[in-house]
Amino acid sequence: NMGQCCVAGTRTFVHEKIYDAFVKKTAELAKNRKSGDPFDGDTINGPQIDDEQFNKILGMIEKGKAEGAKVEAGGERFGTEGYFIKPTVFSNVTDNMCIAKDEIFGPVQQLLKFSTVEEAIERANSTEYGLGAAVFTNDINKAIMFSNSVRAGTVWVNCYNAMSPQQSFGGFKMSGIGRELGEYGLQQYVEVKNVVIKIPQKNS
């Protein structure tokens, strides 16, 4: 989907102990993604939907550069034709930057450094959006703490964007009202009727 997905995981909080190695590996993976014709079976990264979105994403990338984030991969268009943008990875991102606060809907990933789980939770919640989140850990206590504390409609543990029709889907805060899919999704298709009858006396 080239990042054109409501639940695209673009803000990635990485622990300070592994941050540098994670940045290096992520940039390497981004640079090795093949961009081009989406009908080519080897292509991973296709075009953006239209000219408006293409220019919006490039504008957000330029804002990230101007605000001090470091481009580790991509950061520009791919080729000279079409709406292709190279998979982009930013490091040294801070919470107040536009690329960390606004929805980009493009192939742009922000890598933010954190020290403690409590800090990561507080910063993850410091947004007007709340559709999806994930935590990767071998500590079940941290996984439960994170999933209970983060204000998001879906929290994945050691996976991302794993969906099924049985799961409800929707967000907190500015990410929507109500739910699709699952039992909660059925409530959008039913009507509730109240019948009120006056009784002569109460026997209980």
Side-chain angles (χ1 to χ4, degrees), residues 54-128:
F54 173 76
N55 288 314
K56 175 190 173 185
I57 296 166
L58 289 178
M60 292 295 291
I61 290 173
E62 291 306 312
K63 283 184 180 179
K65 295 176 183 178
E67 291 180 339
K70 181 181 178 183
V71 176
E72 299 287 350
E76 58 188 0
R77 75 177 299 167
F78 172 79
T80 58
E81 297 181 351
Y83 303 132
F84 298 92
I85 296 176
K86 292 180 180 179
T88 300
V89 176
F90 277 107
S91 65
N92 299 333
V93 180
T94 57
D95 297 336
N96 63 324
M97 293 180 179
C98 287
I99 56 173
K101 295 190 300 182
D102 299 331
E103 290 185 312
I104 300 175
F105 275 80
V108 185
Q109 184 179 28
Q110 288 65 249
L111 304 180
L112 301 94
K113 187 185 297 186
F114 77 93
S115 299
T116 67
V117 176
E118 293 79 8
E119 173 202 343
I121 291 170
E122 181 179 358
R123 292 168 64 194
N125 283 331
S126 182
T127 173
E128 61 183 0

Side-chain angles (χ1 to χ4, degrees), residues 28-184:
E28 180 183 319
L29 290 171
K31 291 174 182 177
N32 288 332
R33 290 176 70 88
K34 181 181 178 181
S35 298
D37 184 354
F39 293 102
D40 183 339
D42 294 329
T43 296
I44 298 177
N45 208 69
Q48 308 311 130
I49 187 65
D50 57 23
D51 183 69
E52 180 180 356
Q53 185 64 16
F54 173 76
N55 288 314
K56 175 190 173 185
I57 296 166
L58 289 178
M60 292 295 291
I61 290 173
E62 291 306 312
K63 283 184 180 179
K65 295 176 183 178
E67 291 180 339
K70 181 181 178 183
V71 176
E72 299 287 350
E76 58 188 0
R77 75 177 299 167
F78 172 79
T80 58
E81 297 181 351
Y83 303 132
F84 298 92
I85 296 176
K86 292 180 180 179
T88 300
V89 176
F90 277 107
S91 65
N92 299 333
V93 180
T94 57
D95 297 336
N96 63 324
M97 293 180 179
C98 287
I99 56 173
K101 295 190 300 182
D102 299 331
E103 290 185 312
I104 300 175
F105 275 80
V108 185
Q109 184 179 28
Q110 288 65 249
L111 304 180
L112 301 94
K113 187 185 297 186
F114 77 93
S115 299
T116 67
V117 176
E118 293 79 8
E119 173 202 343
I121 291 170
E122 181 179 358
R123 292 168 64 194
N125 283 331
S126 182
T127 173
E128 61 183 0
Y129 303 111
L131 187 57
V135 58
F136 289 81
T137 178
N138 290 325
D139 187 331
I140 188 62
N141 292 319
K142 289 180 180 178
I144 293 173
M145 177 184 175
F146 182 90
S147 60
N148 286 342
S149 303
V150 169
R151 298 283 296 163
T154 299
V155 178
W156 290 283
V157 177
N158 293 335
C159 59
Y160 196 81
N161 209 15
M163 299 292 297
S164 74
Q166 292 78 22
Q167 294 173 256
S168 62
F169 182 76
F172 290 5
K173 298 181 281 190
M174 292 296 290
S175 289
I177 298 173
R179 295 292 182 268
E180 298 176 335
L181 306 178
E183 182 179 349
Y184 290 101

